């Protein structure tokens, strides 16, 4: 008996130690980790040039996959319309949204994040939410990028990125609301699926 | 007493008078000529308008006069300026400035509506599609405008632009698939950014000129209102400058046209490369009249000189030629005097009377001289009896020929067509006066210049020589051939068409015609328009709508044209923007100047995005331009010294003011009610609303208004909408029809009158028909040639028909009267002197008409050509077919000339009562 408890505690401790860095990491550190990983992919000489774009895209996508809260984003982007969906629709929408977001964000990173210098600004934590301000700089130009995070399962995850004051999640909200108003949820989902097919 | 004996006595008495008082006759003729010329010089006027050719009591003319009275006769001159040159509008302003120096000559000019008067309604004058674009732009940039209102200035502006650009790029990346009309680029339209950066760069460099970057975006279609308001044709190919000159007859009109052309040329020197010309109704008429008078003067002198040379050649005598020339000049002078007294003016038709009259009336003297030659050859050169015999034997035929010519012109004066009537009256007067001159002045001049021994009348003896010693052995062949060709003329008539296009008559090289044709061919616009009046606005709208629906109508102008179309719908469209203007307002002035470094940072954010986009696709033109401008402006801001800071502040103040002005302009446009007629400028209202409150509609044709077929369709369509329509196209249509019909009627009636006259002279139907042979056969041959040479009839050469009557009948009379009177003539059919006279007469007539061919006026030219061909055809018929006919018919078939008795009135009564005829033939006593 004593042996089982000891092993359990050790295992739990080991497990805790494995995830401890994530929880122990500050929001800014979390964001920095992600950006460092992405910059490493973008500047890796082995993955340089248009011929390796697909490899880079896949690597960047993996980083995005593990660091964004897609279910939350999917729900938030639909707003009140989400409540009117049945579980099957919700699941389907979340899956499509997740894939589409990953593809779009990967595209954005590939085009706009290359050899920029990243300056980290303020970090604001309010309850389980946080905001990390960064500045992307290149030559004499820069843009402000804010990352919005919240805690999920003890870890920080991203749920929105604001570029020069424009929120990506808000863009989704506005676009989806207009589409549902002029058409329907089904027409929205169909368009998302069509787009997904086109980018895959 | 018979007519013949009366003639003989009259001739004897005339010769007796002339023997005693030749010098008195000469002197009094010359004095009369001088007085006539003086009188004509001071009192004869020119009337150049086509309306002067039509009777003044005609309904259409009265309608036209009422229209002129109610609305003023305006815009008679049009300066047409070719667009496409960058300084076209500046040229118009320059021309206006020059013309204002001549207020008496040009009391009114109308070339532009000042935009300031229409500024607050400017939005309503845009097309619905343009309005929708402005509305979309305002709604799309609503957030930017709201942010700008909260933070007015360049920093706030570019922050808003940056926000819009970012939103657009992110939207395209993440939600672009949701748009139906998905654009291929993820970069929005950068026109506003580029325009503002160009302005900012200029501002930082200290350039004083400010160009609004906002108007190109928010006021598309009204970017530079200060450059609007000019009158262009629908396809913008020509700018139209309307001038109303002072009107006071032909001389003033001519002077005005020339002055305007001089001013245009003067202004053109300041604007090299700008092409412009003067046209319009007054210019077309003045050019036509000016060209015609100049050419006619030349034609007259050429005619006179040519005829004199011909006479010298045929008479072998300079003296006789000069005598005939003097007689013609004196007769012409008398005609000018009497025409001035009776008619008072010359019009577009009667201006050609001089060469026509010379061509016809020279024949009278020619026949007289030819007979004198023959008599002198038979009786001796100095024998005074030759003069007596010439008068006795030639005078009757000459008198009949002159009377026939005069009779052929009389129907012209009965057509009711004023232009033709006046020509007919002048020609009739002229022929009769020339007859008098030929029978009095001509013999007097011969008497005083040649030596005649006057003896007692001995009778006229001698046998004349035959023409070319012809024996006329096969007259039937000649007759059949001639008549067959003449009959072919009836077929030819079906193939000779009537060209009623008045522009084809004009000198194609005159400036007014050149520019009128340019307008018609390149922009479907004519300076001529139909005019309709209405009593109220409802009627105006209804007729305007009905006219615009017609396929023959290009466009309609009325007071409604100056009000915005679909005003109600546009007001509703604009009213949806009202909430935006209620929420957003801009301060009057700059609150806080932008910090250069702050501004540079914002611009840096924009540059960051554009540079990334350019790396992905270097072919993006706008992105490249904007990025380039940012690369210039950002360093200037980052390293800004005091001067740059001052320039920035100065530019920013203008920018904020511009923002405020543009916003106020839009707000006024959105909030202003639609303009009413009373809001329009006075110069517009005066043009389209009479003092009596009637409204004017100007209707323009969509096709060539100078071509009779589309003109007819256009006029009928207009009359269907309003039977009282008037204006130049309507007048033109009815004028051309009336003129043609009048000429044809005059020719027909003239022929009948002449036929009756001939019957009265010859007292024989057969002889009457024989006398008409040269006319019929010659006309038939002329028609054949017209068909062969593709010469159409037109408004000018249709005059040939009544004119050829006198010519054609004269030769028949001359030949037939001698043939009937003299046995010796019948023996040889055609005496040489008679043939010579006919030949010379025909050639001089040909020269008289042919001289018209020097004219650049195509109508006059075609009249000259046709009349020349006609004269020669009639000549050939007179010297071939008629003598052959006479030979064929034979002396027996034609009764010798019977003494024509003068029956006193009491005997006529007895005859009427059925009493036996009692004759008193004094010739046998």
């Amino acid at each position: 008996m004593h042996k089982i408890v000891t092993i359990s505690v050790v295992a739990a401790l080991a497990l805790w130690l494995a995830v401890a860095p994530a929880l122990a990491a500050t929001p800014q550190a979390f964001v920095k980790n992600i950006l460092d990983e992405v910059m490493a992919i973008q500047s890796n000489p082995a993955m340089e040039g248009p011929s390796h774009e697909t490899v880079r895209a896949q690597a960047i996508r993996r980083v995005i996959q593990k660091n964004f809260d897609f279910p939350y984003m999917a729900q938030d982007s639909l707003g009140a319309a989400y409540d009117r969906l049945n579980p099957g629709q919700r699941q389907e929408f979340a899956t499509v949204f997740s894939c589409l977001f990953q593809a779009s964000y990967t595209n954005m990173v590939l085009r706009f994040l290359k050899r920029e210098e990243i300056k980290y600004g303020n970090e604001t934590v309010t309850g389980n939410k946080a905001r990390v301000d960064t500045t992307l700089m290149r030559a004499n130009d820069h843009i402000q990028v804010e990352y919005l995070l919240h805690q999920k399962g003890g870890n920080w995850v991203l749920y929105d990125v604001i570029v020069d004051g424009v929120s990506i999640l808000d863009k989704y909200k506005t676009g989806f609301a207009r589409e549902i108003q002029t058409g329907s949820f089904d027409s929205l989902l169909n368009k998302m699926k069509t787009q997904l097919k086109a980018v895959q | 007493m018979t007519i013949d004996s009366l003639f003989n006595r009259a001739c004897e008495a005339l010769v007796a008078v002339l023997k005693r008082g030749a010098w008195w006759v000469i002197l009094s003729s010359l004095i009369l000529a001088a007085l006539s010329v003086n009188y004509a010089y001071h009192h004869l006027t020119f009337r150049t308008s086509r309306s002067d050719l039509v009777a003044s009591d005609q309904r259409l003319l009265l309608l036209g006069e009422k229209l002129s009275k109610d609305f003023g006769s305006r815009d008679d001159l049009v300066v047409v300026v070719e667009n496409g040159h960058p300084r076209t509008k500046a040229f118009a302003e320059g021309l206006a400035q020059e013309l204002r120096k001549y207020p008496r000559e040009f009391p009114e000019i109308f070339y532009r509506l000042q935009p300031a008067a229409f500024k607050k309604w400017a939005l309503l004058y845009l097309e619905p599609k343009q309005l929708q674009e402005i509305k979309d732009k305002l709604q799309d940039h609503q957030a930017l405008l709201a942010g700008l209102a909260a933070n007015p200035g360049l920093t706030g502006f570019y922050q808003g632009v940056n926000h819009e650009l970012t939103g657009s790029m992110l939207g395209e990346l993440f939600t672009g698939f949701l748009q139906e009309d998905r654009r291929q680029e993820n970069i929005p339209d950068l026109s506003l950014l580029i325009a503002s950066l160009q302005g900012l760069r200029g501002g930082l460099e200290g350039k004083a000129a400010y160009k609004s970057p906002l108007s190109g975006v928010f006021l598309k279609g009204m970017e530079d209102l200060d450059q609007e308001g000019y009158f262009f044709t629908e396809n913008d190919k020509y700018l139209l400058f309307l001038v109303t000159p002072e009107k006071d007859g032909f001389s003033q009109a001519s002077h005005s046209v020339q002055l305007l052309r001089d001013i245009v040329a003067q202004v053109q020197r300041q604007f090299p490369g700008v092409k412009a010309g003067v046209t319009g109704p007054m210019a077309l008429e003045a050019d036509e009249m000016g060209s015609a008078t100049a050419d006619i003067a030349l034609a007259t002198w050429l005619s006179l000189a040519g005829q004199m040379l011909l006479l010298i050649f045929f008479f072998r005598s300079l003296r006789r030629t000069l005598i005939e020339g003097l007689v013609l000049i004196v007769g012409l002078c008398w005609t000018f005097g009497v025409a001035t007294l009776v008619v008072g003016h010359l019009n577009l038709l009667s201006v050609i009377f001089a060469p026509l009259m010379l061509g016809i009336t020279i024949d009278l003297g020619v026949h007289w001289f030819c007979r004198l030659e023959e008599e002198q050859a038979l009786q001796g050169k100095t024998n005074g009896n030759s003069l007596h015999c010439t008068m006795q034997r030639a005078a009757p035929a000459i008198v009949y020929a002159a009377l026939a010519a005069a009779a052929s012109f009389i129907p012209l004066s009965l057509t009711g067509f004023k232009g033709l009537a006046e020509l007919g009256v002048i020609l009739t007067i002229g022929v009769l006066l020339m007859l008098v001159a030929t029978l009095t002045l001509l013999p007097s001049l011969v008497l005083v210049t040649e030596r005649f021994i006057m003896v007692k009348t001995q009778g006229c003896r001698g046998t004349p020589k035959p023409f070319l010693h012809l024996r006329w052995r096969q007259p039937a062949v000649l007759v059949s051939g001639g008549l067959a060709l003449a009959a072919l003329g009836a077929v030819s008539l079906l193939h000779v068409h009537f060209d009623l296009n008045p522009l084809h008559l004009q000198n194609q090289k005159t400036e007014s015609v050149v520019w009128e044709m340019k307008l018609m061919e390149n922009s479907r616009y004519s300076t001529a328009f139909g005019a309709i009046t209405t009593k109220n606005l409802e009627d105006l709208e209804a007729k305007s709508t009905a006219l615009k629906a017609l396929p023959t109508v290009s466009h309609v102008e009325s007071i409604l044209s100056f009000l915005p179309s679909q005003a109600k719908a546009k007001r509703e469209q604009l009213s949806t923007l009202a909430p935006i203007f209620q929420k957003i307002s801009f301060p009057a002035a700059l609150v806080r100047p932008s910090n250069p470094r702050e501004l540079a940072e914002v611009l840096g954010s924009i540059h960051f995005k554009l540079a990334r986009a350019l790396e992905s696709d270097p072919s993006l033109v706008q992105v490249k331009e904007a990025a380039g401008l940012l690369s210039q402006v950002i360093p200037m801001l980052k390293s800004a010294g005091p001067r740059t800071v001052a320039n920035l502040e100065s530019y920013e103040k203008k920018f904020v003011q511009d923002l405020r002005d543009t916003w106020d302009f839009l707000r006024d446009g959105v909030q202003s009610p639609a303009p009413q007629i009373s809001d329009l400028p006075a110069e517009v209202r005066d043009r389209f609303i009479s003092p009596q409150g009637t409204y004017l509609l100007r209707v323009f044709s969509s096709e060539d208004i100078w071509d009779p077929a589309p003109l007819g369709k256009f006029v009928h369509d207009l009359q269907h909408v309003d039977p009282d329509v008037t204006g130049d196209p309507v007048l033109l249509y009815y004028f051309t029809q009336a003129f043609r019909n009048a000429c044809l009627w005059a020719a027909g009636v003239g022929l009948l009158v002449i036929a009756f006259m001939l019957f009265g002279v010859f007292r024989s139907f057969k002889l009457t028909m024989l006398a008409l042979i040269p006319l019929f056969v010659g006309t038939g041959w002329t028609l054949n040639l017209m068909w062969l040479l593709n010469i159409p009839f037109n408004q000018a050469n249709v005059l040939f028909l009544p004119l050829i009557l006198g010519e054609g009948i004269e030769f028949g009379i001359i030949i037939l009267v001698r043939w009937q009177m003299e046995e010796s003539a019948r023996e040889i059919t055609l005496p040489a002197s008679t043939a010579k006279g006919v030949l010379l007469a025909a050639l001089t007539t040909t020269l008289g008409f042919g001289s018209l061919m020097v004219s650049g006026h195509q109508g006059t030219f075609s009249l000259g050509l046709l009349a020349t061909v006609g004269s020669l055809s009639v000549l050939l018929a007179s010297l071939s077919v008629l003598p052959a006919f006479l030979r064929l018919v034979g002396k027996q078939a034609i009764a010798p000339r019977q003494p024509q008795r003068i029956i006193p009135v009491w005997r006529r009564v007895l005859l009427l009562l059925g009493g036996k005829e009692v004759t008193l033939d004094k010739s046998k006593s």
Side-chain angles (χ1 to χ4, degrees):
Chain A
M1 182 65 173
H2 181 72
K3 220 179 197 178
I4 292 167
V5 168
T6 305
I7 291 166
S8 301
V9 166
V10 169
L13 190 61
L15 190 61
W16 185 84
L17 283 171
V19 304
L23 192 58
T26 61
Q28 194 180 83
F30 173 74
V31 169
K32 191 172 184 302
N33 266 346
I34 295 167
L35 290 176
D36 287 345
E37 211 173 333
V38 168
M39 292 305 282
I41 295 166
Q42 286 283 65
S43 54
N44 185 344
M47 288 195 270
E48 222 173 281
S51 55
H52 294 101
E53 190 171 293
T54 313
V55 174
R56 289 204 307 278
Q58 286 168 350
I60 290 169
R61 193 168 175 143
R62 281 194 288 274
V63 173
I64 296 167
Q65 262 174 354
K66 61 184 181 184
N67 288 300
F68 275 87
D69 185 357
F70 301 111
Y72 173 80
M73 290 168 72
Q75 181 181 349
D76 197 44
S77 69
L78 273 184
Y82 188 82
D83 298 334
R84 296 194 286 273
L85 301 178
N86 60 46
Q89 284 174 317
R90 288 177 186 178
Q91 180 60 42
E92 191 184 8
F93 178 79
T95 305
V96 174
F97 175 85
S98 167
C99 293
L100 205 55
F101 178 82
Q102 288 171 49
S104 300
Y105 202 88
T106 303
N107 194 17
M108 186 180 77
V109 168
L110 281 172
R111 282 157 71 176
F112 290 98
L113 199 62
K114 290 181 181 174
R115 285 189 174 77
E116 282 70 25
E117 186 188 331
I118 304 171
K119 192 175 161 194
Y120 294 89
N122 293 334
E123 175 193 87
T124 311
V125 180
T126 311
N128 70 337
K129 289 191 188 294
R131 191 185 84 215
V132 176
D133 299 336
T134 68
T135 305
L136 291 181
M137 293 185 296
R138 186 163 171 183
N140 291 316
D141 307 328
H142 60 268
I143 56 170
Q144 305 295 328
V145 182
E146 296 163 27
Y147 296 91
L148 300 187
L149 314 88
H150 63 195
Q151 287 189 344
K152 189 171 181 180
N155 298 316
W156 290 108
V157 283
L158 292 165
Y159 69 88
D160 195 8
V161 178
I162 301 174
V163 180
D164 264 344
V166 179
S167 156
I168 294 175
L169 194 56
D170 280 349
K171 275 287 173 192
Y172 276 122
K173 281 181 188 173
T174 313
F176 290 168
R178 194 184 301 134
E179 182 63 33
I180 291 172
Q181 191 181 22
T182 55
S184 64
F185 171 76
D186 287 331
S187 70
L188 168 63
L189 192 60
N190 282 337
K191 282 187 179 178
M192 289 171 73
K193 284 177 182 174
T194 305
Q195 175 65 6
L196 192 58
K197 268 190 200 155
V199 298
Q200 276 175 342
Chain B
M1 184 182 291
T2 66
I3 292 178
D4 288 345
S5 59
L6 194 64
F7 248 118
N8 285 339
R9 287 198 181 183
C11 290
E12 279 173 23
L14 183 58
V15 171
V17 165
L18 294 178
K19 277 181 197 172
R20 283 196 290 273
W23 280 110
W24 287 111
V25 170
I26 294 166
L27 199 61
S28 49
S29 298
L30 291 173
I31 290 170
L32 264 176
L35 288 172
S36 299
V37 166
N38 183 58
Y39 179 65
Y41 183 78
H42 288 100
H43 294 92
L44 187 65
T45 57
F46 291 97
R47 290 191 186 172
T48 60
S49 171
R50 283 188 189 275
S51 56
D52 290 323
L53 301 177
V54 189
S56 58
D57 61 347
Q58 291 237 351
R59 185 174 155 273
L60 278 176
L61 274 187
L62 290 173
L63 283 172
E65 279 166 16
K66 186 169 185 311
L67 190 80
S68 289
K69 202 173 147 197
D70 287 350
F71 293 94
S73 182
R74 288 185 159 98
D75 308 335
D76 282 331
L77 292 173
V78 179
V79 180
V80 183
V81 188
E82 272 189 17
N83 200 9
H85 191 280
R87 299 188 72 197
T88 301
K89 290 175 183 171
F91 173 88
E93 292 299 331
L95 182 60
Q97 198 178 0
E98 284 302 314
L99 288 175
R100 284 188 192 112
K101 294 178 187 171
Y102 300 86
R104 199 179 61 85
E105 287 86 349
F106 306 113
E108 194 176 324
I109 57 175
F110 191 48
Y111 70 104
R112 189 187 184 191
L113 291 175
Q114 293 300 330
F118 292 85
K119 212 166 180 178
K120 62 179 171 181
W121 302 297
L123 288 178
L124 292 170
Y125 283 93
L126 295 175
E127 294 299 313
K129 194 180 162 192
Q130 286 175 304
L131 219 52
Q132 187 60 39
E133 277 179 20
I134 290 177
K135 192 178 155 190
D136 289 342
K137 282 271 173 357
L138 282 171
Q139 285 173 337
D140 288 347
H141 293 293
Q142 201 172 345
L144 166 65
L145 292 166
L148 197 49
N151 182 16
L154 287 170
T155 306
F157 172 71
Y158 284 111
Q159 280 171 344
V161 169
N162 186 31
H163 189 90
E164 276 195 359
L165 184 64
T166 310
S168 181
M169 290 169 78
L170 288 180
E172 180 54 30
L173 277 168
F174 290 92
T175 56
F177 66 91
L178 293 172
Q179 291 169 14
E180 289 292 340
D181 55 341
R182 186 173 182 182
R183 288 170 298 178
Q184 296 302 308
E185 312 290 338
N186 65 347
I187 304 291
D189 180 38
L190 298 179
S191 313
L192 178 59
L193 176 63
I194 291 169
S196 65
L197 287 172
Q198 285 168 339
L200 178 58
R201 182 184 60 184
L204 291 174
E205 288 168 354
K207 287 182 181 159
Y210 175 84
K211 192 178 166 192
S212 169
L214 301 168
S215 56
V217 175
F218 295 107
L219 301 178
K220 206 166 177 188
M222 297 183 293
E223 281 88 336
D224 200 349
L225 270 183
D226 291 337
Q227 289 297 306
E228 297 302 321
Y230 294 91
F231 302 142
F232 287 94
T233 52
E234 280 208 349
N235 61 358
D236 283 345
K237 204 165 160 91
Y238 299 102
L239 183 149
L240 303 174
F241 196 113
L242 309 174
V243 181
T244 301
E246 193 195 342
K247 287 187 235 296
D248 189 16
F250 168 67
S251 313
Q252 182 59 45
S254 202
H255 169 73
S256 298
V257 172
Q258 191 51 51
L259 178 60
L260 182 58
R261 285 187 172 139
D262 290 341
I263 294 170
V264 167
Q266 181 193 328
V267 176
Q268 273 180 300
R269 284 193 280 276
Q270 298 164 29
F271 296 89
V274 172
K275 292 182 189 164
V278 176
T279 184
M282 184 182 274
L284 285 166
E285 283 176 1
D287 282 348
E288 186 176 19
M289 195 65 186
S291 172
T293 48
D295 293 341
I296 294 308
L298 175 62
T300 305
W301 286 111
L302 273 177
S303 165
L304 202 57
Q307 287 167 345
M308 294 302 107
L309 282 170
L310 209 53
L311 291 178
I312 291 172
F313 179 75
F314 272 80
F315 291 151
R316 302 270 198 272
S317 166
L318 178 61
R319 182 170 47 203
R320 288 187 175 180
T321 303
L322 291 174
I323 287 171
E324 178 59 27
L326 183 60
V327 169
L328 286 175
I329 291 172
V330 166
L332 196 61
C333 294
W334 291 351
T335 308
F336 266 109
V338 176
T340 307
L341 191 66
V342 173
V343 181
H345 57 265
L346 293 179
N347 57 46
L348 284 171
L349 285 173
S350 59
V351 74
I352 61 168
F353 88 89
L356 290 180
M357 210 186 87
L358 288 177
I360 294 167
T361 56
I362 194 173
D363 300 359
L364 308 179
V366 160
H367 292 306
W368 196 90
F369 269 120
C370 286
R371 194 58 198 252
L372 179 66
E373 261 185 11
E374 184 187 304
E375 296 299 333
Q376 283 181 316
L378 292 172
Q379 302 184 49
K381 198 170 176 181
T382 55
N383 189 342
N385 197 47
S386 59
L387 197 68
H388 169 80
C389 287
T390 301
M391 285 298 276
Q392 192 181 33
R393 291 184 163 188
I398 289 172
V399 168
Y400 296 144
L403 289 177
S408 73
F409 297 139
I410 288 173
L412 286 175
S413 56
L414 301 173
T415 55
F417 200 98
K418 214 159 90 169
L420 279 179
E422 289 170 6
L423 177 64
V425 165
I426 294 173
L427 283 174
T428 305
I429 291 169
V431 167
L432 295 175
L433 287 173
M434 202 62 86
L435 175 64
V436 170
T438 303
L439 295 180
T440 57
L441 181 59
L442 178 61
S444 302
L445 287 167
V446 168
L447 269 170
V448 302
T449 56
E450 296 184 26
R451 194 167 153 259
F452 284 99
I453 301 165
M454 293 300 165
V455 297
K456 203 173 171 185
T457 309
Q458 293 159 357
C460 306
R461 57 185 187 277
T463 307
K465 289 180 194 164
F467 172 53
L468 296 178
H469 301 280
L470 291 172
R471 293 183 192 273
W472 305 98
R473 286 208 180 98
Q474 301 286 338
V477 172
L478 209 53
V479 165
S480 331
L483 287 180
L485 277 175
L488 192 61
V491 176
S492 300
L493 187 59
L494 299 171
H495 292 89
V496 176
H497 73 277
F498 215 107
D499 180 1
L500 284 173
N501 189 330
L503 271 190
H504 289 172
L505 298 180
Q506 298 218 30
N507 188 336
Q508 303 295 300
K509 290 179 187 162
T510 57
E511 186 177 317
S512 55
V513 173
V514 165
W515 283 93
E516 180 72 24
M517 298 300 289
K518 274 189 187 185
L519 277 176
M520 269 315 303
E521 285 162 10
N522 296 327
S523 68
R524 296 196 164 277
Y525 181 91
S526 171
T527 54
F529 51 83
I532 291 174
T533 56
T534 66
K535 290 196 173 115
N536 54 59
L537 268 178
E538 289 76 30
D539 213 14
L540 179 71
E541 281 174 15
K543 284 190 177 163
S544 191
T545 307
L547 288 164
K548 282 175 186 169
L550 294 170
T552 50
V553 171
S554 160
H555 64 282
V556 177
E557 283 177 7
S558 69
I559 196 74
L560 298 177
S561 310
F562 296 89
L563 295 174
S565 60
Q566 304 166 274
K568 198 173 165 194
K570 287 177 186 174
R571 284 262 0 101
E572 279 174 19
Q573 201 177 3
L574 287 172
S575 65
T576 57
L577 289 173
I580 298 178
F581 289 92
Q582 281 161 9
K583 281 190 265 186
I584 300 173
S585 67
F586 292 94
L590 182 65
V591 175
R592 183 179 69 87
S594 294
N595 182 300
R597 283 186 177 71
E598 264 181 44
L599 182 55
E601 273 193 29
V602 175
L603 292 176
S605 288
I606 299 173
H607 188 256
F608 184 101
K609 296 177 197 64
L610 295 182
R612 296 297 87 71
L614 214 52
E615 278 172 16
S616 302
D617 186 357
S619 68
L620 297 169
V621 173
Q622 277 195 326
V623 173
K624 201 170 174 181
E625 190 179 355
L629 285 164
L630 284 165
S631 300
Q632 294 170 30
V633 169
I634 293 171
M636 287 167 82
L637 288 167
K638 283 189 171 174
S639 61
R643 190 166 170 186
T644 306
V645 170
N647 287 344
L648 175 65
E649 192 174 330
S650 169
Y651 177 79
E652 195 169 21
K653 279 181 184 166
K654 290 176 191 166
F655 180 84
V656 170
Q657 185 60 49
D658 178 27
L659 188 62
R660 172 71 189 231
D661 291 343
T662 304
W663 195 249
D664 287 348
F665 171 81
L666 284 169
R667 191 190 51 226
D668 289 345
V670 165
Q671 291 173 351
S672 292
Q676 304 301 313
I677 288 176
S678 50
D679 294 319
L680 296 173
E683 58 205 0
V684 173
R685 283 183 280 120
D686 289 345
R687 256 184 168 68
F688 292 96
I689 307 176
S690 74
Q692 294 77 24
T694 52
Y695 297 90
L696 173 66
L697 275 155
R698 290 183 181 178
V699 193
F700 294 81
S701 171
S702 63
E703 295 182 53
D704 186 354
I705 204 144
W706 303 102
D707 198 338
L711 173 63
K713 269 171 58 184
F714 177 64
V715 170
H716 287 127
D717 280 352
L718 294 193
Q719 286 176 326
H720 191 70
V721 174
D722 187 338
D724 288 337
V725 61
T726 180
D728 284 342
V730 182
L731 279 175
L732 181 67
Y733 176 69
Y734 285 105
F735 163 83
T736 50
Q737 303 270 334
F739 183 80
R740 180 194 61 187
N741 297 342
C743 285
L744 293 174
W745 181 89
V749 172
L751 185 61
L752 279 174
V753 169
I754 287 170
F756 275 114
M757 197 201 97
L758 288 176
F759 186 76
V761 167
F762 294 120
R763 296 284 175 139
S764 161
F765 178 76
K766 284 177 187 166
L767 281 176
T768 302
M769 294 312 295
L770 281 170
L772 289 171
I773 282 174
L775 177 65
F776 284 138
V777 174
T779 304
W781 293 354
T782 304
L783 287 169
N784 293 336
L785 285 169
M786 283 178 76
W787 183 20
L788 264 172
L789 300 173
N790 198 24
I791 303 173
F793 279 113
N794 55 46
Q795 290 172 67
N797 68 18
V798 74
L799 264 180
F800 155 79
L801 291 174
L803 292 178
I804 201 64
L805 282 180
E807 172 82 9
I809 211 63
E810 171 201 319
F811 301 154
I813 290 173
I814 295 291
I815 293 172
L816 228 48
V817 166
R818 184 163 187 186
W819 188 85
Q820 195 191 37
M821 276 174 65
E822 300 169 32
E823 176 68 30
S824 57
R826 285 196 290 279
E827 289 296 323
I828 56 173
T829 308
L830 183 61
S833 68
T834 305
K836 182 178 173 180
V838 166
L839 175 64
L840 187 51
L843 290 177
T844 52
T845 302
T846 302
L847 264 176
F849 285 140
S851 65
L852 293 174
M853 290 200 280
V854 300
S855 177
H857 188 273
Q858 297 301 299
T860 309
F861 172 86
S862 71
L863 173 60
L865 173 62
L866 187 56
T868 301
V869 169
S871 299
L872 293 174
S873 299
V874 168
L875 168 67
L876 196 58
S878 305
L879 298 183
S880 60
V881 179
L882 178 58
F885 235 115
L886 290 174
R887 198 72 181 173
L888 197 66
V889 167
K891 288 182 277 186
Q892 296 80 14
I894 307 295
R897 189 173 165 79
Q898 298 295 326
Q900 293 176 46
R901 296 179 291 174
I902 298 170
I903 305 173
V905 173
W906 66 269
R907 287 193 188 276
R908 286 187 210 181
V909 172
L910 276 179
L911 284 168
L912 278 172
L913 292 173
K916 201 173 172 187
E917 191 175 331
V918 175
T919 61
L920 286 176
D921 189 357
K922 290 197 177 170
S923 65
K924 290 184 179 171
S925 62

